[in-house]
Amino acid sequence: MVTLNSTQRFLAPPAPKPEVIGLIEDVLDGEPGLVPVALTGDNLKVWFTIPLYSDPDVGEETYELFVDDKTDAIATRKWTTPIEDSDRYLELPRDWMRNNDGQHRIYYTTKIYNDAENRSLELVITLDTRAPDLPSGDDSKLIFPPEVAPPPIQITAAYLADPANEDRVLATLPDYTEKKVGDVITWYWERSPGGREIVDTVTLARDDLGKPVQVAFKGDLLRRANGEFYASYRVRDRAGNETGLSQDIELSVNIRPPTPRKFPTVKQAESAPNGTGVLNPFRGIAGVTVVVEGSEVDPGEEVTVDFIGLGGEGGIGSVTGVKPVPPGGLEFAIPAPFVAANIPVGGDGRKVEVRYWAGRDVQHSAVYTLSISEFTAEAFGAVMCPEAQIGSPATLSKNTVALSGANIDIEKWAYHEGTQKINVWAMASGVRTDFLKDAPTPLNADGRFRTPLPKAYVASLPLNSTFTLYASVSFDQGHSYRPFKSMSMKLVT
């Protein structure tokens, strides 16, 4: 047994403060040590620290729990056997907690076998067992702006489109008792009263306490459907107390898409009144110009154009968000590569949808559908061999082909870009021999594309036989290839 002197017995430092497991984490400007309302449905365990020299086997020890400045303990326990760690607690009574909302100080005292007494530091806790009070009846309904307020609430596309309203409708909560930091407002809408489709939530901070609370019904939500809806809300405080639903308020939502603005046109195309156009491919070599009618746009409205072709949005044949040239105008330049990628190959029926967006529109204009006529092989270009003699058929002297080979030439073609892909090959007696496959297309100083016709290939063919040179080029990164006019030749000595 350890014997304590009087100094140790009466001047010991305070014991550690009590501990309550499960308190809500403190927040800035919120109530400290908040006890979740779920923990007040039964007695609440308050854990203490066993004194260093505790020894109940020697003599009875007493532990007491106190609240605020009360002189009588709210809970007392005694031990005559060693205290198990799982048993070192006192309890706040349920009935006391359910009837003492507010902030409290709790501490415990210990008196061990040798009558040495000690008092712990204090723990501050807050009890909140009552839900906030919403106004009664119709007074609890959300309050909508006067511009939409004639009953029922009328929400229109025009109201959302007003820049001052930022594509939303704000409703104000009637003031309720008692508003606190950490209150969570949840608001709902549904086709029938008492709906449970959550629109959003907001958690109140200190700055929110001195002003009306507003909740937003955003345009994206309201545009989902039209017709009659009901809006309501509820409040849950930080302790977990929750109000019932407020009284529903009826909304009449009329956000039907407005009549789209008239379609644009393409300046270089032949356009029809029904919003279609046909473009001669040779008229788009420098790109095309999309034109928006001035009567369709209000002064100051920003306008951008989408040119949606092969691959859809983001595809090789599409460009979106094109701004006018010059700025503020109503003409929009579409670069030639996007035109080229939409020229049909083999009658594959490609089309381009051209549209624009103006101001704060949530719907694009009517669509202009552009068809581009296909190139014919004769009009597009032809494979040539400068060393061949023109005739019927053309002839190539086998013996005069240089060691470096003869040449395969193609004049610069419409929409040429050096990064396009080209294939070049020959056919002889039904056998294909590739010279280039998916190769780039640089031009020489004469403005021609040139690649060798290898001497070894020519040497492998018998005299008086014929072979044909072919080439095809892709405007769409290999999605399709358009052919050049081929060239057939006979080998002679």
Side-chain angles (χ1 to χ4, degrees), residues 249-321:
I249 187 166
E250 186 178 355
L251 311 177
S252 179
V253 181
N254 183 15
I255 313 293
R256 301 184 194 283
T259 302
R261 303 185 196 228
K262 184 181 177 183
F263 54 82
T265 55
V266 170
K267 182 182 290 187
Q268 293 80 4
E270 296 292 332
S271 296
N274 64 353
T276 61
V278 178
L279 177 70
N280 181 321
F282 289 104
R283 296 199 64 193
I285 293 173
V288 296
T289 302
V290 175
V291 180
V292 174
E293 287 190 18
S295 60
E296 295 296 311
V297 179
D298 293 330
E301 285 189 312
E302 182 179 346
V303 182
T304 59
V305 159
D306 296 339
F307 190 86
I308 309 298
L310 182 65
E313 288 192 35
I316 182 64
S318 303
V319 59
T320 59

Side-chain angles (χ1 to χ4, degrees), residues 184-190 194-202 216-217 221 224 230 232-234 236 242 245:
V184 176
I185 315 298
T186 303
W187 58 106
Y188 308 82
W189 83 330
E190 192 56 271
R196 292 293 185 275
E197 182 178 348
I198 294 176
V199 177
D200 209 344
T201 65
V202 65
F217 293 83
L221 171 77
R224 286 187 202 166
Y230 295 85
S232 58
Y233 66 94
R234 70 168 78 243
R236 187 183 74 252
E242 190 170 64
L245 278 174

Side-chain angles (χ1 to χ4, degrees), residues 136-187:
S136 60
D138 286 350
D139 290 340
S140 70
K141 290 182 178 180
L142 288 168
I143 303 167
F144 281 81
E147 294 87 348
V148 300
I153 306 301
Q154 298 283 340
I155 299 176
T156 64
Y159 183 86
L160 295 178
D162 186 336
N165 298 326
E166 300 180 348
D167 193 37
R168 61 182 182 173
V169 180
L170 293 178
T172 303
L173 263 71
D175 220 4
Y176 62 88
T177 308
E178 159 185 16
K179 196 185 301 180
K180 296 178 182 177
V181 170
D183 285 357
V184 176
I185 315 298
T186 303
W187 58 106

Side-chain angles (χ1 to χ4, degrees), residues 23 41-42 44-45 59 74 81 122 143 194 218 224 351 354 365 368 416 447 455:
L23 294 182
D42 202 349
L44 180 66
K45 292 179 180 179
I74 197 168
T81 58
E122 295 179 344
I143 303 167
K218 296 180 180 179
R224 286 187 202 166
K351 294 184 185 299
V354 188
S365 69
Y368 175 87
H416 173 271
K455 181 178 179 65

